Amino acid sequence: MDIILCLKEVPDTASIIKLSPDKKSINRQELSFCMNPYDEYALEEALRIRDKFGDTKITAVTLGDSGAEQVLRTALSLGIDKAVHILTDKPSGELEAFFSSLCLSKFISTLKYDLIFCGKQAVDDDSSSVGAMIAQILNIPQVTAITKLQIKDDKKGFISHKEIEGAEEVIEGTLPALLTAQKGLNEPRLPSLMGIMQAKKKPIEKVDVKGLALKEDEIISKLEIVSMELPKDRKPGKVINGEPEVAVKELIKILKDDAKVL
Amino acid sequence: MADKKLGFVKGLFFGEVNAGLLIPYPKESEEESQTVKIILDSLKKFARERIDAARIDAEAKMPQEVISGLGQFGILGMATPEEFGGLGLSQFAYAKMMEELGKICGSTATFVGAHQSIGMKAILLFGTEEQKKKYLPELATGDKIAAFALTEPNAGSDAGSIQTTATLSEDGSSFILNGSKHFITNAGIASLLTVFAKQEIEIEGKKEKKISAFIITRDIPGITMDREEEKMGIRGSVTNGFRLENVKIPKENLLGEPGKGFKIAMEVLNYGRLGLAAGCLGASRKLLELSADHAKQREQFGKRLCDFEMIKHKLSDMEIDIFVMESIVDLSVKTADRKDTDFSIEAAICKVFASEALWRVVNNAVQINGGDGYMKEYPYERFMRDARINMIFEGTNEILRLFISLDSIKSVGIELKKLLDSLKRNPLAGVFKVIGVSLKKCKGKFCCCEAMLPGLDPALKIYNKKAAVLTKKFSRCVEKAAMKYGRKIVEKEFMQERLSDIAINLYAVYCVIARVQHLIEAKGKPAVEKGLNILDAFFDRASARIEKDLNGIFKNKDKVLNAISDKIISG
């Protein structure tokens, strides 16, 4: 089986975000980055498929500037077979979803694949659209936000589970297909000492985005970020002590007079 | 041990600034950075889910799954060369890992340090190819744990007076060890112990008892562990004494050259000290993060705590201590990674400064958190209990202060070729007599030195100039003291304390200047406002402290203090 993973480098959730002077992007200078958490579930699932079936090649692709290479190193240390870096001028976080989908699709269409795996969304822009767009462009079936996956023994089909409001949807499909991973799909493993050692020796294939020959109208931005602002600082909560009758009276007073919601 | 170039601090004792060690600022390798990031990310994730520091402390136990986990993703094999199953990473990478561990759990950091910084380090540095092949791979994966056994009930700081003996058997095929060791971290769980014992050696026809290093594995009969110690802090780490009764080891288990055990121990401890300092840095960062959060949330008198100057005073003190620690540790590990320069003094300074800075930081953290800081419900009291040992083990800070000044002064004597003879006859007196006379002649002979660091941003030049002046004053003081007291300088510990504290503060100042310069070059001056403020504030207090100590070398109340102490004892 051939599995393609789409990985994205995103700011660490512990990072403190600051805006750039023009307030249209974030200041990436002081940030630390990591693999998109939802991509980790996709990566882990791919490894489990290989553990089960053997004879499986896993290729990870990432789109971005030089810093994007780190997620590929991590993926290699977890044991994937091939890593490809599509080099762009801008960092991954500043690339539009449609543009990213086009680049990835164009590159993936040159490869053999049975399954394309993405995270359901990237935690920087939360657009949740790249996976679906790639499937659309490549004209293959897709299931998003899966929480359980079973590849059929003949490797020609799959059964996936997906959480919907108050219920669980079970979707059966044929391969090749694109799936996006939701939290709960699995518990990602950590790189092993051996994996890290081996990863140092594996090469990362570099592809220039210009080599993908995108057309002029494909490169132009479809969206314009008008402005960004930081969420307002939340005031610390207030603890109201005392006997229930007294405390409730105090709470009502605060809700009426201070918060003005009653 | 090949001849190494003189370290930065030893140069300071002679008024020389070895700028090449600080500027251009040594950079970490790109390739290594990627591997380090993978390991640190794994460690953070693993720690979040599996390392419960509070529980480890409460139960005074480290779960096996923590040890296995750390081994699995390479934490225990970072410094081991690849050919022996490790990751072959630099001291810089190792320090980054220890820093992260320091944030997470003091017990875990101590366990890893005892295993890797010192337990297996002797084999790594001094082992034969066979010994490395035999022992390192299983230690790198954490399948086997190592411990470093030097201390004895009657030999702590005075490590040279250990009484454990190693006698060559009649047929010369094995060593028989007898004796006991005390307060050894990891001993209870270690499969491999690096043990130091006295061996009879023949030197120039004379028989002398000298310390040698030996590898002892736990499967060998005759080793009895004493009951585990109950400690104030780092309670999750295992500390045992043990007895050796006719422990017979093959002669192949001698580590390094016979009689060179003391040197081996000292060199290994150099690495241990760097790791320890990095751990203190990590713990300090975590404490500041928690304290700042609290100061932002907690309100009294209608204001947030962080709006009050007394709290600002503590927060800024903590930030300054952390920045200085970061600067000296970063530059010292990178000096160690050069492999061609002696870094023993720098390592000692890192350990002394970082352990004392952490103590200050944790004290401030407890205070900022008020009553909460004292309660077991919060982590501060555990951090405090964990922090205290750092000033005691791996060489007490008192011993290290003596080492910093005496070894620096002695080192120069050794460098001067014409002293060799008088050194042999009357070591210290000879050294000091000639130092005074030859100081002026030897300046610049053995270090490439400039008083000013080259290429500094104009904002930093003024600090550099003042530091250069203080350095010259310091070296003249050293010269004067050496000439006045000669060999008696060894007894004058108040003076050693002052000389060492000056050396520590001077080193810190130069490192901070170099680091701020590096940040300015990397990010541009506007982005380095914090660094410049820290340099400003730190330089102010450091230079005052240096001046005070310089004046105190000859004008002080030492006699009075001696009298007060003697009276306590004599009653």
Side-chain angles (χ1 to χ4, degrees):
Chain A
M1 251 185 101
D2 288 291
I3 304 179
I4 314 276
L5 289 166
C6 296
L7 305 177
K8 188 180 182 189
E9 173 194 58
V10 296
D12 209 286
T13 40
S15 307
I16 297 174
I17 305 289
K18 292 199 198 103
L19 298 178
S20 63
D22 67 2
K23 297 236 174 24
K24 293 195 182 184
S25 58
I26 59 173
N27 184 339
R28 295 175 78 90
Q29 255 209 353
E30 306 275 324
L31 296 178
S32 48
F33 296 89
C34 62
M35 191 185 300
N36 182 34
Y38 293 102
D39 297 351
E40 289 178 4
Y41 299 119
L43 172 49
E44 173 63 28
E45 200 62 23
L47 291 169
R48 289 188 188 199
I49 293 170
R50 186 173 68 188
D51 287 342
K52 181 167 177 208
F53 289 98
D55 194 28
T56 302
K57 184 166 169 218
I58 305 175
T59 304
V61 189
T62 198
L63 190 62
D65 62 6
S66 57
E69 204 180 277
Q70 181 71 48
V71 299
L72 294 175
R73 280 282 162 226
T74 306
L76 284 168
S77 70
L78 283 160
I80 63 165
D81 302 293
K82 193 160 170 235
V84 180
H85 180 188
I86 303 176
L87 196 56
T88 57
D89 292 328
K90 290 202 230 159
S92 55
E94 289 176 19
L95 299 172
E96 251 177 55
F98 185 58
F99 175 78
S100 303
S101 312
L102 268 175
C103 290
L104 290 165
S105 309
K106 276 239 153 91
F107 179 74
I108 292 172
S109 60
T110 67
L111 306 170
K112 209 160 67 90
Y113 57 86
D114 298 296
L115 177 57
I116 304 173
F117 233 137
C118 307
K120 78 162 174 139
Q121 71 201 69
V123 299
D124 52 2
D125 59 16
D126 281 340
S127 81
S128 309
S129 48
V130 170
M133 284 197 220
I134 294 175
Q136 185 72 8
I137 295 168
L138 295 177
N139 200 26
I140 54 175
Q142 58 167 283
V143 185
T144 55
I146 62 169
T147 52
K148 193 167 164 196
L149 176 65
Q150 184 202 333
I151 302 287
K152 292 192 179 164
D153 286 333
D154 62 5
K155 298 190 229 169
K156 293 210 178 106
F158 66 91
I159 300 174
S160 62
H161 292 230
K162 178 181 165 142
E163 272 168 31
I164 57 176
E165 196 71 36
E168 194 181 58
E169 213 172 59
V170 180
I171 299 170
E172 197 174 330
T174 56
L175 295 175
L178 184 141
L179 304 172
T180 74
Q182 165 67 296
K183 185 173 177 182
L185 176 59
N186 52 48
E187 186 72 46
R189 68 192 70 179
L190 293 171
S192 69
L193 172 53
M194 274 247 292
I196 299 170
M197 279 176 73
Q198 286 167 350
K200 292 210 276 181
K201 304 185 184 91
K202 289 188 195 163
I204 293 179
E205 187 186 317
K206 301 263 183 196
V207 172
D208 195 312
V209 72
K210 299 187 193 64
L212 294 175
L214 291 173
K215 294 191 223 106
E216 196 61 47
D217 62 348
E218 289 175 329
I219 301 175
I220 300 175
S221 293
K222 306 277 181 280
L223 297 172
E224 185 201 330
I225 294 184
V226 174
S227 76
M228 284 190 179
E229 60 181 60
L230 294 172
K232 302 253 177 331
D233 240 343
R234 277 213 327 226
K235 281 188 85 180
K238 228 180 179 125
V239 176
I240 303 165
N241 293 307
E243 289 300 312
E245 302 87 52
V246 180
V248 167
K249 281 210 180 101
E250 176 72 23
L251 177 59
I252 292 175
K253 182 166 172 291
I254 292 172
L255 289 172
K256 255 196 185 155
D257 302 332
D258 298 343
K260 297 198 173 47
V261 294
L262 284 181
Chain B
M1 285 152 255
D3 251 359
K4 298 249 175 92
K5 290 209 209 115
L6 208 67
F8 187 87
V9 179
K10 283 186 180 172
L12 291 179
F13 276 73
F14 294 89
E16 306 293 355
V17 175
N18 192 345
L21 287 173
L22 305 182
I23 304 234
Y25 196 88
K27 293 217 177 75
E28 47 262 30
S29 106
E30 262 301 324
E31 187 214 312
E32 206 187 50
S33 297
Q34 285 182 343
T35 308
V36 171
K37 178 142 172 43
I38 295 173
I39 297 174
L40 288 184
D41 281 346
S42 295
L43 179 55
K44 284 181 202 158
K45 245 185 241 162
F46 181 70
R48 258 201 308 267
E49 288 155 31
R50 300 270 194 270
I51 303 182
D52 185 344
R55 182 153 166 223
I56 289 173
D57 176 65
E59 296 178 5
K61 210 160 104 187
M62 181 146 333
Q64 179 58 42
E65 89 167 325
V66 171
I67 299 177
S68 309
L70 293 174
Q72 242 169 12
F73 52 88
I75 297 287
L76 301 178
M78 284 183 75
T80 307
E82 288 186 40
E83 62 200 291
F84 302 113
L87 292 169
L89 295 171
S90 64
Q91 287 310 307
F92 165 75
Y94 185 74
K96 282 283 160 221
M97 182 275 292
M98 286 300 283
E99 185 185 324
E100 192 60 38
L101 274 182
K103 284 185 200 168
I104 298 165
C105 173
S107 299
T108 309
T110 303
F111 156 70
V112 171
H115 168 80
Q116 195 169 182
S117 306
I118 55 176
M120 54 198 263
K121 199 71 172 182
I123 300 177
L124 224 149
L125 295 174
F126 299 100
T128 59
E129 285 305 297
E130 290 81 51
Q131 286 169 332
K132 289 187 203 176
K133 242 187 262 188
K134 185 171 179 190
Y135 299 110
L136 289 181
E138 282 177 308
L139 294 172
T141 56
D143 288 335
K144 296 220 162 112
I145 302 299
F148 179 87
L150 174 62
T151 301
E152 294 180 5
N154 289 323
S157 287
D158 187 7
S161 71
I162 56 171
Q163 291 167 321
T164 300
T165 54
T167 323
L168 196 58
S169 63
E170 291 269 329
D171 61 3
S173 69
S174 43
F175 285 102
I176 320 263
L177 278 84
N178 278 286
S180 61
K181 293 293 178 187
H182 192 54
F183 294 160
I184 307 298
T185 309
N186 287 357
I189 55 171
S191 308
L192 184 144
L193 306 159
T194 304
V195 175
F196 294 85
K198 281 213 167 121
Q199 187 193 353
E200 208 170 68
I201 312 264
E202 219 178 274
I203 300 180
E204 290 169 1
K206 266 198 342 198
K207 285 211 177 144
E208 275 182 58
K209 281 213 157 162
K210 287 256 171 196
I211 299 176
S212 296
F214 301 91
I215 300 170
I216 301 188
T217 49
R218 282 289 262 125
D219 53 339
I220 297 170
I223 309 168
T224 322
M225 288 288 148
D226 294 335
R227 62 158 175 74
E228 199 184 318
E229 300 283 357
E230 254 214 78
K231 304 187 290 291
M232 175 196 289
I234 53 164
R235 291 171 57 75
S237 82
V238 171
T239 309
N240 295 80
F242 58 87
R243 275 163 288 140
L244 301 167
E245 279 157 333
N246 294 323
V247 175
K248 190 165 163 200
I249 57 174
K251 71 169 178 6
E252 288 74 28
N253 283 32
L254 171 69
L255 185 52
E257 289 170 49
K260 293 282 193 232
F262 193 79
K263 270 208 167 136
I264 291 174
M266 293 304 109
E267 180 127 359
V268 167
L269 286 170
N270 286 339
Y271 290 92
R273 286 164 192 161
L274 290 177
L276 189 155
C280 292
L281 171 58
S284 299
R285 283 201 207 274
K286 185 71 187 171
L287 287 163
L288 177 56
E289 181 195 312
L290 293 172
S291 304
D293 272 342
H294 177 80
K296 262 197 288 194
Q297 304 282 357
R298 172 86 172 165
E299 287 190 13
Q300 289 283 267
F301 306 109
K303 290 208 291 196
R304 299 174 307 170
L305 280 198
C306 57
D307 295 323
F308 293 99
E309 284 194 339
M310 282 199 182
I311 300 295
K312 290 190 194 199
H313 193 171
K314 295 183 193 345
L315 290 172
S316 58
D317 277 348
M318 292 161 89
E319 180 78 286
I320 291 170
D321 264 332
I322 288 170
F323 192 92
V324 176
M325 259 193 274
E326 182 182 37
S327 308
I328 61 177
V329 170
D330 198 42
L331 282 161
S332 302
V333 295
K334 285 169 176 169
T335 302
D337 280 332
R338 293 170 65 105
K339 304 212 177 151
D340 63 359
T341 305
D342 172 29
F343 65 95
S344 54
I345 305 293
E346 289 72 18
I349 288 181
C350 282
K351 194 273 200 189
V352 170
F353 188 90
S355 57
E356 291 172 9
L358 172 57
W359 191 240
R360 288 191 291 271
V361 167
V362 76
N363 207 22
N364 278 328
V366 168
Q367 195 69 11
I368 289 173
N369 284 277
D372 287 350
Y374 202 69
M375 302 301 160
K376 275 202 181 282
E377 193 187 331
Y378 296 89
Y380 308 101
E381 61 84 36
R382 184 189 77 239
F383 269 100
M384 178 171 263
R385 286 185 289 107
D386 285 351
R388 189 56 185 83
I389 189 67
N390 291 304
M391 294 185 271
I392 299 173
F393 67 5
E394 298 220 21
T396 62
N397 287 9
E398 289 68 35
I399 286 293
L400 292 183
R401 280 188 160 85
L402 295 182
F403 172 68
I404 290 166
S405 53
L406 287 178
D407 204 66
S408 300
I409 298 173
K410 187 169 151 216
S411 214
V412 179
I414 292 173
E415 291 290 327
L416 297 170
K417 282 196 189 139
K418 24 185 156 173
L419 285 186
L420 235 45
D421 287 344
S422 48
L423 270 177
K424 277 185 193 164
R425 273 183 278 111
N426 196 351
L428 286 167
V431 168
F432 296 119
K433 245 195 216 129
V434 186
I435 282 182
V437 169
S438 304
L439 211 46
K440 296 181 179 58
K441 292 187 190 167
C442 85
K443 261 191 189 346
K445 254 202 192 140
F446 46 81
C447 20
C448 64
C449 317
E450 295 147 33
M452 295 289 283
L453 303 175
L456 284 187
D457 186 278
L460 307 180
K461 284 199 173 134
I462 180 168
Y463 300 106
N464 191 184
K465 210 148 189 247
K466 291 188 187 169
V469 167
L470 289 171
T471 307
K472 290 274 184 262
K473 273 193 190 172
F474 174 53
S475 69
R476 253 176 262 131
C477 223
V478 168
E479 191 184 317
K480 215 169 137 193
M483 279 172 53
K484 181 169 182 185
Y485 295 107
R487 76 183 316 174
K488 284 227 184 93
I489 212 170
V490 179
E491 297 156 26
K492 299 213 144 289
E493 292 192 354
F494 281 107
M495 179 178 307
Q496 302 305 338
E497 242 180 342
R498 287 188 187 93
L499 291 174
S500 291
D501 282 343
I502 296 169
I504 293 169
N505 279 309
L506 271 179
Y507 184 51
V509 157
Y510 279 108
C511 287
V512 169
I513 292 174
R515 186 161 177 79
V516 174
Q517 172 65 24
H518 169 64
L519 290 172
I520 291 176
E521 284 169 13
K523 300 186 186 177
K525 208 141 98 183
V528 190
E529 193 190 324
K530 176 179 111 174
L532 286 163
N533 283 337
I534 289 174
L535 171 57
D536 193 15
F538 177 66
F539 190 87
D540 185 58
R541 56 182 70 167
S543 54
R545 181 76 201 268
I546 293 170
E547 297 268 20
K548 178 165 181 261
D549 281 333
L550 282 170
N551 293 331
I553 302 255
F554 298 109
K555 263 207 223 130
N556 51 58
K557 297 283 179 187
D558 297 351
K559 270 210 182 90
V560 176
L561 294 177
N562 275 329
I564 295 172
S565 175
D566 289 342
K567 192 77 171 89
I568 300 170
I569 303 304
S570 67

